[in-house]
Amino acid sequence: KMSHDFELLREALGLEKWLVFGGSWGSTLSLDYSTRYPDRCLGVILRGIYLNTLPEFDAVFSRAPYVKSKNRKRLREFDTWFELAAKDAKDAGEPPLDPNDDERFFRVYERMIERCDENSKSAIWHWHVFENNLMEEDPKKLLDPNKIVDAVLPKATSVAFFESRLFLHGTFEDPVDLLDRVDRLKRTPTWVCQGHRDEVCPEEYAHKLVDALQAADVPTKPYFIDSGHEATDPVMAKCLKNALDDFATTIQ
């Protein structure tokens, strides 16, 4: 539906073709749009690859990976995030929440967020803090799950509402195999910028995408770089600028 919306936007703007550019979940949408409407794409630039698959979801939103990696800081952050949902399930008289049942975990969070009561504010904030702290590499910009920052809460609310529904729909309710469709991009130059330190979108899935693109003979330029997830990371920003500059030469 969102890809169709963007196609309606392209038509409304009177553009015959355009460059598709997206990062994180935007890379998911970019791949979905470009493989549905390849003839409308001048090129595709992707950052922080997320293919919307269950293994990717498990890698970030379940407890087991943090136990396996022995990353005590991340484990504490996950447990703090999880405990709020576990308490809600218990208070509702439901069976104990399994920290590795990420679908149920997200469904509990979604209902907490959508209640729009005082408890939903805490759920929204915990959601945003967990994700922010996974992405943020500047210690000064890390957030405290127990201290809501009013100035940041509107953004946190938007992210929590948007992502809880998107992830549940795309991963569990109506999954799409994006890799199976990349052969539709044979005439669409594609750039991939992926950071080695990206904890939100693990690097191995970017490799899966690049392998699929190259196997399908899609003109692909992959860059695996020393950066985190954010587009504002200086190394990532340079990669994206170089991709844009490279793209510009293809349309001159």
Side-chain angles (χ1 to χ4, degrees), residues 24 40 45 58 61 64 76 102 134 162 164 175 189 197 202 208 211 214 236 238 242 244 247:
S24 196
R40 299 305 181 189
I45 298 177
D58 290 343
F61 299 121
R76 285 195 305 271
D102 41 23
L134 271 182
F162 185 69
S164 59
R197 301 193 308 276
K208 289 179 185 292
D211 289 346
Q214 293 178 337
M236 178 61 74
K238 182 177 179 180
N242 289 343
L244 281 167
F247 162 74

Side-chain angles (χ1 to χ4, degrees), residues 66-200:
Y66 303 110
V67 173
K68 184 178 180 180
S69 68
K70 298 181 181 180
N71 188 330
R72 288 184 288 181
K73 178 178 182 295
R74 293 294 183 227
L75 187 58
R76 285 195 305 271
E77 291 174 337
F78 179 87
D79 287 345
T80 299
W81 187 37
F82 174 79
E83 284 164 6
L84 197 65
K87 181 180 183 302
D88 190 82
K90 182 180 179 181
D91 291 346
E94 298 172 355
L97 190 60
D98 182 346
N100 294 310
D101 183 352
D102 41 23
E103 179 181 3
R104 185 176 167 222
F105 175 33
F106 264 51
R107 292 198 185 282
V108 172
Y109 250 99
E110 183 181 42
R111 79 184 183 202
M112 289 195 297
I113 290 166
E114 291 180 350
R115 281 189 195 130
C116 296
D117 59 14
E118 194 60 30
N119 290 331
S120 72
K121 183 186 292 187
S122 181
I124 287 166
W125 186 248
H126 275 70
W127 180 296
H128 181 67
V129 168
F130 178 75
E131 188 171 78
N132 176 83
N133 291 356
L134 271 182
M135 294 186 292
E136 185 56 66
E137 295 188 303
D138 183 349
K140 296 178 181 178
K141 295 181 180 180
L142 296 177
L143 298 173
D144 185 339
N146 299 311
K147 292 182 180 179
I148 295 176
V149 180
D150 289 337
V152 181
L153 188 59
K155 175 185 176 182
T157 302
S158 170
V159 169
F161 270 97
F162 185 69
E163 289 191 348
S164 59
R165 183 85 303 265
L166 278 181
F167 283 133
L168 283 169
H169 181 78
T171 307
F172 300 102
E173 297 168 3
D174 189 21
V176 174
D177 187 346
L178 294 171
L179 294 183
D180 192 50
R181 293 168 15 192
V182 297
D183 61 330
R184 303 176 190 178
L185 299 175
K186 287 184 184 293
R187 293 180 295 174
T188 308
T190 302
W191 292 260
V192 175
C193 291
Q194 176 68 42
H196 296 311
R197 301 193 308 276
D198 191 335
E199 294 187 66
V200 179

